[in-house]
Amino acid sequence: MGAHGVLILSPKAAERVDSYNPAWPVPKVLSLKAKGKLNRSIFEGSTINTPSMLVIEDYLDALRWIEKDVGGLGASITKSQQNLSVIESFVARTPWIKFLAEDPAYRSNTSVCLKIADMDETEVKALVKLLETERVAFDIGAYRDAPAGLRIWAGTTVSSEDLIALCDWIDYAHAKVKASKK
């Protein structure tokens, strides 16, 4: 599976690239140096490869979409906050599910992580599998090193109505998995 991305370095990180030389070889495709110094041309528009240009076009397209179809940055943030509110309501009325970040100040309003308090890892995997089998949600399981739980994208690209439906499905899947263990 291929991928592309953008690299953004702070001035301090750029200084570190100039001053640090790892003891191991760095593949050319991953090297940020040319002639022992940071290759600044790659940050000034020099094309490294065609996929690196695709990510820039994707980014520009996303910015145009946010401005034209969503209403700009403020509207995008408002939409994500509304989406988080849907999940907050679900968590407030559901005793077995909690936010991974217990302090609201540390919660993301786009990448929402939840833990399922009354299920072990096997049960959570069964819940996630059921959601995938029913084609409700894909890649929703918690990260490998996190407690058993769910990751939900609640950004601007998701409708509140879809999140309400997802919460209903999570409730259904939880009940079904718990019933199967009796």
Side-chain angles (χ1 to χ4, degrees):
M1 176 186 268
H4 57 267
V6 171
L7 178 65
I8 300 171
L9 297 178
S10 69
K12 188 172 183 176
E15 287 175 18
R16 180 141 168 85
V17 170
D18 281 340
S19 66
Y20 179 72
N21 292 306
W24 54 88
V26 177
K28 183 175 181 183
V29 72
L30 299 177
S31 179
L32 299 176
K33 287 186 175 186
K35 299 179 183 171
K37 292 286 187 189
L38 177 65
N39 183 359
R40 294 187 184 279
S41 70
I42 63 176
F43 298 98
E44 296 166 354
S46 176
T47 303
I48 302 169
N49 54 40
T50 303
S52 69
M53 296 308 293
L54 292 174
V55 72
I56 301 302
E57 195 54 41
D58 282 350
Y59 180 71
L60 292 172
D61 190 47
L63 289 175
R64 285 188 290 267
W65 175 77
I66 289 285
E67 195 61 40
K68 180 179 174 244
D69 294 348
V70 176
L73 177 62
S76 179
I77 292 169
T78 298
K79 175 104 174 91
S80 295
Q81 281 302 128
Q82 290 168 343
N83 285 345
L84 176 61
S85 293
V86 169
I87 298 171
E88 286 173 333
S89 294
F90 176 61
V91 169
R93 70 176 183 271
T94 310
W96 46 262
I97 198 159
K98 307 285 181 217
F99 283 99
L100 184 58
E102 293 175 8
D103 184 340
Y106 297 108
R107 287 185 199 144
S108 170
N109 66 340
T110 56
S111 181
V112 181
C113 296
L114 303 171
K115 57 187 174 183
I116 301 176
D118 68 342
M119 286 186 160
D120 62 26
E121 188 174 342
T122 303
E123 291 171 311
V124 173
K125 284 182 179 181
L127 183 148
V128 167
K129 179 73 174 159
L130 178 59
L131 294 173
E132 288 178 3
T133 300
E134 294 292 337
R135 304 186 58 76
V136 172
F138 298 95
D139 194 27
I140 195 172
Y143 291 112
R144 178 180 50 222
D145 295 333
L150 305 171
R151 290 177 298 132
I152 299 172
W153 179 251
T156 306
T157 56
V158 178
S159 74
S160 296
E161 294 78 16
D162 285 346
L163 287 173
I164 291 167
L166 174 62
C167 291
D168 289 343
W169 270 100
I170 292 169
D171 203 23
Y172 165 79
H174 177 270
K176 187 161 179 129
V177 169
K178 283 308 224 179
S180 73
K181 298 294 178 181
K182 290 183 179 179

